[in-house]
Amino acid sequence: MNTAVEIAGVKFKNPVMTASGTFGSGMEYADFVDLNKLGAVVTKGVASVPWPGNPVPRVTEVYGGMLNAIGLQNPGIDVFIERDLKFLESYDTGVIVNVCGKTVEEYLEVVERLGEEKRVDMLEINVSCPNVKEGAIAFGQNKDALFDITSRIKKVAKQPIIMKLSPNVTSISEMAKAAEAAGADAISLINTITGMKIDIHKRKFALANKTGGMSGPAIKPVAVRMVYEASHAVKIPVIGMGGIATGEDAIEFIMAGATAVAVGAMNFHDPYATENVLNGIIEYMERYKVEDINELRGIV
Amino acid sequence: MSKKIKKEARVISQRMLSEGIYDMWLETPIAKDVKAGQFVGVYPVNKATLLPRPISICEVDTEKSAIRLVYRVVGSGTAEFALYQPDDYIMILGPLGNGFPLDKAAGKRAVVIGGGIGVPPLLETAKRLSAMDGSDKPASVSAVMGYRNSDTFLSDEFLNFAKLFIASEDGSVGTKGNVIDAMKACDVPCDVIFACGPMPMLKGISAFARERGIKAYLSLEERMACGVGACLGCVCKTKSVDEHSHVNNARICTDGPVFDADDLDL
């Protein structure tokens, strides 16, 4: 049975990855999961300098999911290379580094710094975080801005780049096409869906940031639809995510057209979620006698 | 730090301790590694819920491999927990957090201070402080517990381990006012404080301790998602650079929940 997949010439032992921001750099989950079993660890977004993030409360539960407005708190590229990348060196898994910035120049600085790092297999460019005032989603909601940042990053990147797209757009196909036209090696989607919750007892917003990104099983049908549309709009590989909790969910994304999948908010529900999703994929393949996971891609 | 696990625990017993406050003993292998002041994430079965509910550990019985949770029903998750019966199984994640640094009480007059639903974790803290011997032994152990009214749940259990002082907002029991009022009115002997409770209380304790040059260790609460330090949802402002992001935002679930009051920017 073959579970290996390939994206832009990079081989992953299986299609199960972690969604950026839900898994740190793997350290916090190494108690629970054998990181060597994962297709790739996709790290929390890293910027050129440390970012403090948003005020609390930053998280709140909603029906079938959660809202977050962390605001990309991160230690900056220096500490990230020194500590997080060093930690990942001892594991035999794919390493995809998520990159964020307020300006194109800030993205480029991080991308250039990572160019020297042999342990980094791919870069995922975060142009879709809904919780920061500058950068991120500002580049991901306009196809010209997305084209511009993608092509500029592609010029300096030493590793293949994945553009992480926002669902908070009118046409995901247009955005996917813009990323592809600008030279992106792959796209990943969906980032969280902008939402709001009001605490009626306190008569206040549940999050200090007022709005937050919704994730969890409740958003899965939206994500499957968008992965389907995006993967039919472009030829580059698609990494699908949004509410994946089980192997069956992952298979659904693969059938919609995804080459790989990422487990996000469910890591918070179950620290063993990534391994369970992988086991579920293998069980499905055994049950339906699927020889190669790649046979299922886009089958519907 | 002990390894965290997510595993079903067997309900040994559950009772309503007072209005809306429940008292549940769970049999779990986590019990053998628990420190006073640590907590567990407890999972509702309801599929519409995603996140574990952080609940502090009130007491530990290592012989029976059991932990005791005393919690308030505040929403649908905790309402579900209140329905559990003996021999039911409930999913928990733990042990989480750092716990109180009990070694700081060696030779000192220690005071545990709890307010409302912040009272439970201080019970195991008082128990362990009173059981210390040799050079670790505190000179004395006092407990100051603050409540709204005469519903002073758990307070009688502190009598086994500490000299007890009570404050109630309505004055029906002990000193009328808050825990600081009781500390002052009763002249509670104090060199080091371990506290858990609502933020205004913790701010008051922080100021009280600073004025008197007393060390205080405060257990904080915040909305959490993962409970293991990955999501960066539950942070608090610190004076020193935090270990994770180097931005003076420490993670309450892993760097805390207990912090040195001198290091907090409350």
Side-chain angles (χ1 to χ4, degrees), chain B residues 131-148:
Chain B
M132 288 177 142
D133 48 25
S135 59
D136 291 336
K137 193 176 168 62
S140 65
V141 182
S142 305
V144 182
M145 297 298 136
Y147 299 93
R148 285 207 185 115

Side-chain angles (χ1 to χ4, degrees), chain A residues 8 13 37 64 91 93 111 129 167 186 209 220 268 294:
Chain A
K13 62 178 80 166
K37 288 190 179 164
Y91 290 96
T93 182
V111 167
C129 175
N209 190 53
K220 198 190 71 177
F268 305 156
N294 294 287

Side-chain angles (χ1 to χ4, degrees), chain A residues 12-26:
Chain A
F12 300 96
K13 62 178 80 166
N14 63 64
V16 179
M17 302 179 171
T18 61
S20 178
T22 67
F23 207 74
S25 293

Side-chain angles (χ1 to χ4, degrees), chain A residues 149-211:
Chain A
I149 191 171
T150 305
S151 52
R152 287 175 69 185
I153 288 173
K154 185 63 192 166
K155 272 189 201 114
V156 302
K158 296 264 171 48
Q159 293 94 348
I161 64 166
I162 304 160
M163 299 308 289
K164 184 164 183 179
L165 303 183
S166 170
N168 304 304
V169 295
T170 310
S171 167
I172 195 71
S173 305
E174 292 268 304
M175 302 307 288
K177 281 179 189 163
E180 182 181 49
D185 298 283
I187 52 174
S188 57
L189 66 155
I190 60 174
N191 203 320
T192 53
I193 302 173
T194 312
M196 181 181 277
K197 180 179 172 180
I198 293 162
D199 183 333
I200 61 165
H201 304 293
K202 293 181 181 157
R203 303 185 179 195
K204 283 168 75 173
F205 296 102
L207 298 175
N209 190 53
K210 297 183 187 174
T211 59

Side-chain angles (χ1 to χ4, degrees), chain A residues 31 52 58 61 64 73 83 269, chain B residues 43 48 50 53 232 244 249:
Chain A
D31 259 5
R58 292 176 169 185
E61 193 175 66
Q73 176 177 330
R83 177 186 65 196
H269 174 75
Chain B
Y43 290 86
L50 188 73
R53 274 54 180 164
L232 311 182
H244 180 276
N249 270 346

Side-chain angles (χ1 to χ4, degrees), chain B residues 181-222:
Chain B
D181 296 326
M183 291 282 285
K184 288 175 180 168
C186 305
D187 203 14
V188 178
C190 179
D191 303 313
V192 60
I193 292 170
F194 302 101
C196 183
M199 188 50 86
M201 182 191 107
L202 297 181
K203 280 185 181 171
I205 291 170
S206 185
F208 175 87
R210 197 169 48 243
E211 283 161 18
R212 288 163 180 74
I214 295 169
K215 287 301 282 182
Y217 298 91
L218 311 179
S219 180
L220 305 191
E221 192 179 35
E222 186 48 71

Side-chain angles (χ1 to χ4, degrees), chain A residues 29-57:
Chain A
Y29 284 97
D31 259 5
F32 303 98
V33 176
D34 178 1
L35 302 182
N36 296 306
K37 288 190 179 164
L38 303 181
V41 170
V42 183
T43 64
K44 165 101 181 151
V46 62
S48 54
V49 293
W51 284 11
N54 289 327
V56 291

